[in-house]
Amino acid sequence: MKNLTLRVFFGLLFSAIGTVSLLFYRDVLLSAIWLSFGNGLLLTDYKLTKLDAQGNPYLQPVPKARFYAGLFLIALAVLLLFLQIVLDIQEVKP
């Protein structure tokens, strides 16, 4: 359970919220925001367990490519959130 940090827990929670919002509300942009942020948190912090030569488990560091992909997903979530705000503001104007 060393793998389950606070960021991983919130990543799982946000991904679940995004999946539920897609299935129940059919709001693609909102669910893309939740899923992108949740999966970005998961990619940047989830460490896999591996066995060393003596058979002892240890946590591998997060690979750089996975870390950068997670940061990209978090930045994409922020951009999609701004797009959602712009679309909501344009919808209110008569």
Side-chain angles (χ1 to χ4, degrees):
M1 293 305 288
K2 293 179 184 178
N3 307 19
L4 195 60
T5 62
L6 194 58
R7 281 189 281 185
V8 171
F9 176 74
F10 279 122
L12 289 171
L13 179 70
F14 292 158
S15 295
I17 291 171
T19 304
V20 168
S21 68
L22 180 64
L23 293 176
F24 289 136
Y25 299 117
R26 306 275 188 218
D27 190 2
V28 177
L29 186 58
L30 180 65
S31 62
I33 294 167
W34 284 105
L35 285 169
S36 180
F37 191 70
N39 290 334
L41 285 175
L42 284 174
L43 283 177
T44 57
D45 196 46
Y46 188 70
K47 296 178 178 126
L48 300 174
T49 305
K50 195 171 187 179
L51 297 177
D52 61 3
Q54 290 81 23
N56 300 324
Y58 71 96
L59 292 177
Q60 289 181 305
V62 177
K64 287 188 180 189
R66 201 174 83 190
F67 182 76
Y68 292 135
L71 286 180
F72 171 75
L73 285 174
I74 292 171
L76 181 67
V78 171
L79 290 174
L80 288 173
L81 183 62
F82 285 132
L83 177 66
Q84 178 74 40
I85 291 170
V86 167
L87 291 175
D88 286 344
I89 288 173
Q90 287 179 353
E91 188 175 294
V92 171
K93 291 183 181 178

